[in-house]
C-alpha cells in the first residue's frame, strides 16, 4: 500500500514563519493554495507576468484580488485594501498570498519592486499585531 507523500497540507507551511514575505522558491502555487484551503486561510493570487508599469501591477492585483471598484490604484490604497477593510469585516482566519512573476522592467524597477514588497511586509506586520497569519510568497519574471 502506498502512503501519501503528505498526510495534510499544514506541514507545508510549518517551517515558514506565520508573518513573512519571502521568495516562493521551492513552493508550488497549487500546493500553497491547497495548504491555505486546508488551514481555512484566504488564498490571494496575482499573476503579474503581463505588467510593465506600477499602474499595470496595481491593476492586475486589484482585479485578481477582487478589490472594490473604488480602489485608488496606488501603494497606499493597496495597503489599505490588504488591512483595514478586512480587519473591520470580522475575525480573519489567516492569509496565504502569492505574487507571481513580478515584472523586472525599466518601468517597474528595483525601487518599485521593493516598494510593492514593502506594502506586503507592512501588511504582514499589521496582521502579526493582531495574531493573524499572513504569508506572502513572490517570484520575479
Amino acid at each position: 500500500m502506498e502512503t501519501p507523500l503528505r498526510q495534510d497540507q499544514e506541514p507545508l507551511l510549518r517551517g515558514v514563519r506565520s508573518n513573512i514575505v519571502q521568495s516562493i522558491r521551492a513552493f508550488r502555487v497549487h500546493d500553497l493554495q491547497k495548504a491555505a484551503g486546508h488551514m481555512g486561510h484566504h488564498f490571494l493570487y496575482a499573476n503579474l507576468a503581463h505588467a510593465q508599469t506600477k499602474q499595470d501591477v496595481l491593476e492586475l492585483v486589484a482585479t485578481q484580488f477582487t478589490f472594490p471598484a473604488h480602489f485608488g490604484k496606488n501603494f497606499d490604497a493597496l495597503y489599505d485594501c490588504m488591512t483595514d477593510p478586512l480587519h473591520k469585516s470580522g475575525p480573519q482566519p489567516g492569509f496565504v498570498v502569492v505574487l507571481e512573476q513580478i515584472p523586472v522592467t525599466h518601468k517597474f524597477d528595483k525601487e518599485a519592486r521593493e516598494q510593492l514588497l514593502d506594502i506586503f511586509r507592512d501588511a504582514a506586520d499589521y496582521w502579526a499585531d493582531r495574531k493573524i497569519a499572513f504569508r506572502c510568497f513572490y517570484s520575479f519574471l
Side-chain angles (χ1 to χ4, degrees):
M1 181 170 150
E2 265 185 58
T3 57
L5 294 177
R6 190 177 268 127
Q7 293 293 331
D8 59 38
Q9 292 299 312
E10 192 166 2
L12 177 71
L13 298 175
R14 182 170 286 147
V16 179
R17 285 189 7 232
S18 62
N19 295 84
I20 192 166
V21 175
Q22 71 172 45
S23 171
I24 200 165
R25 286 179 271 180
F27 295 110
R28 294 184 327 188
V29 173
H30 179 73
D31 292 338
L32 291 169
Q33 183 177 17
K34 283 176 62 177
H38 175 73
M39 295 183 302
H41 290 193
H42 298 291
F43 180 75
L44 300 171
Y45 173 81
N47 185 316
L48 306 173
H50 297 292
Q52 295 292 313
T53 66
K54 176 181 171 181
Q55 286 308 114
D56 293 344
V57 167
L58 290 167
E59 180 69 35
L60 285 169
V61 168
T63 300
Q64 294 176 54
F65 286 9
T66 61
F67 285 168
H70 66 274
F71 172 65
K73 295 188 181 83
N74 60 59
F75 285 145
D76 289 336
L78 175 59
Y79 174 79
D80 290 345
C81 281
M82 294 303 302
T83 57
D84 196 46
L86 295 170
H87 176 67
K88 288 180 179 172
S89 68
Q92 298 297 320
F95 302 87
V96 176
V97 177
V98 175
L99 302 170
E100 193 168 38
Q101 299 184 23
I102 297 172
V104 178
T105 67
H106 71 279
K107 292 182 180 178
F108 198 75
D109 61 7
K110 182 178 180 180
E111 182 179 334
R113 290 189 300 276
E114 281 305 309
Q115 287 176 333
L116 175 69
L117 293 175
D118 282 345
I119 296 300
F120 287 90
R121 289 179 188 112
D122 291 345
D125 291 343
Y126 175 93
W127 290 110
D129 290 346
R130 287 149 184 82
K131 308 228 182 309
I132 305 293
F134 183 99
R135 295 176 178 97
C136 179
F137 300 90
Y138 65 89
S139 66
F140 294 120
L141 182 61

